[in-house]
Every structure is written in structure tokens, then in C-alpha cells.
Amino acid sequence: MIRLGSDYGGWHIPDHILNENSICYCVGCGEDITFDLELIKKYNCTVVGIDPTPRAITHVNEHTKDISNYILEPVGLWNEKTILKFYEPKNKKHVSHSFLNLQKTEDFIEVEADTLLNIMKKHGHNQIDLIKIDIEGSEYRVLNYILANEIDVNIICVEFDEMHLPLDHNFRERIQKYIELLSKNYELLKQERSNFTFMRKK
């Protein structure tokens, strides 16, 4: 296992799995794409960043303008193609918005959302070597979609945001449910705070 990215935005992944032919999807960019950029630096792989947040789009465009194998999709990831309310964080200095309104705020913007399969089809991808999911509570819906559609994903890095911003008192049961769902076909390799790294079982 190696750790790529900053203290805030980094993830543990298994080494010697990815290479220059690998396709990585990094869902939830915010203003820290150090993990995405280190994936490219180390493996020369293709990275698709997915985030509809205006500040995130600006940040990504500034830091990837000279990187040909970084692709930005400025949409939200969901289980259908639609328009959704994207709720702002309580602290206006922060960047992370939420479809589920994790921080229980009133202000929102409306953004386009699309499915993983639609985005993969757009770019001619029929499998994903690694997906990082850090999307402020929407991870359950995206994980359901991946599992229900049997999408070919080898490594799943997911943050369970309810570990620090619970929607209600049932958050522990929800998180445990999804860990168990993933564990049917994936091995849990690493947990760092609310970040979990799974790899498909051989």
C-alpha cells in the first residue's frame, strides 16, 4: 500500500496495480486534486475528475490545463441524468456542496447530474481501474448504482462522510451496511479515518 496526495486529500491504494493504461475516476475534486495529480505523475494513467462545484471547476482547470490525460466532467454523479439542488456548506470559505444537504443549510445552486455509465460511455470506457468517491453523502447512491449495474471496477476508494456529518442517528448502521455490501466482492485494504480503500477479490 502507498499513500498519494496531501494530508487532507490523500488516499491509500495498492501499489503495482495501476499503469499507463489504467482508467481512474476521481469523483469529488473540491480544491485539492493532489491525489489525482499524483496518480498521473506516478502511473501516467488517465484520470477523469467529476465535480459540478464552480470553485472546484476553476481549481481543476487552473491545475490541469497542461495535462492531456486529465479530463474534467463538470457534473454531479447520481443514479440518473437530472438537475439537482446542490446545497452549500455552512462555512462559505469551504468548497464542499452536498446533494443530500449534509450540513443542513438553506442556500443551494442547481447543477446537472449524470450516471457513471453515461460518463464512461462518453469517453469510451468499459471498465474502471480505480474510482475515488468523496461526494458528501451521495456515496451510498453511487455505490448502489455501481453494484446494481455490475460495473467493472477494480479499486474503490470511498469516504463515508456521515462519520463526521451524520444525517440522523442511523448513520452507523448505514455505513456498516455498505461496508458489508462491498465486502461480498471486495477486500477492505485500508481505513484512514472516514476513508476506505477496497479492492476486488481475485
Side-chain angles (χ1 to χ4, degrees), residues 156 182-190 197-202:
I156 297 176
L182 285 169
S183 296
K184 292 178 180 178
N185 296 304
Y186 288 83
E187 178 184 358
L188 176 58
L189 299 182
K190 182 72 177 179
T197 300
F198 297 85
M199 183 171 174
R200 187 165 50 200
K201 296 175 182 176
K202 300 293 186 184

Side-chain angles (χ1 to χ4, degrees), residues 13-25:
I13 64 170
D15 199 8
H16 309 301
I17 301 294
L18 304 176
N19 55 49
E20 67 275 7
N21 298 314
S22 298
I23 306 298
C24 301
Y25 277 56

Side-chain angles (χ1 to χ4, degrees), residues 110-198:
E110 291 190 337
V111 300
E112 292 184 25
D114 208 342
T115 69
L116 186 57
L117 282 176
N118 282 346
I119 296 170
M120 291 172 65
K121 182 178 180 181
K122 176 180 178 181
H123 297 289
H125 299 150
N126 55 25
Q127 58 85 38
I128 297 174
D129 296 281
L130 178 149
I131 188 167
K132 180 215 80 174
I133 305 168
D134 181 2
I135 49 177
E136 309 303 312
S138 299
E139 58 270 12
Y140 307 123
R141 191 169 294 238
V142 170
L143 289 173
N144 271 338
Y145 184 86
I146 290 172
L147 296 173
N149 288 278
E150 298 181 344
I151 298 176
D152 186 356
V153 181
N154 192 27
I155 299 167
I156 297 176
C157 299
V158 57
E159 178 173 18
F160 291 108
D161 287 281
E162 281 198 285
M163 290 182 74
H164 46 85
L165 282 171
L167 282 168
D168 56 47
H169 66 278
N170 293 319
F171 73 99
R172 292 183 183 87
E173 289 81 2
R174 262 192 302 277
I175 293 169
Q176 185 61 37
K177 172 188 172 182
Y178 280 87
I179 292 172
E180 291 174 0
L181 277 175
L182 285 169
S183 296
K184 292 178 180 178
N185 296 304
Y186 288 83
E187 178 184 358
L188 176 58
L189 299 182
K190 182 72 177 179
Q191 177 187 355
E192 182 185 33
R193 300 185 296 273
S194 54
N195 292 353
F196 292 71
T197 300
F198 297 85

Side-chain angles (χ1 to χ4, degrees), residues 37-55:
L37 297 180
E38 287 194 22
L39 283 173
I40 293 174
K41 181 178 179 181
K42 184 170 180 62
Y43 302 109
N44 194 30
C45 57
T46 296
V47 171
V48 179
I50 301 174
D51 198 318
T53 315
R55 276 171 51 188

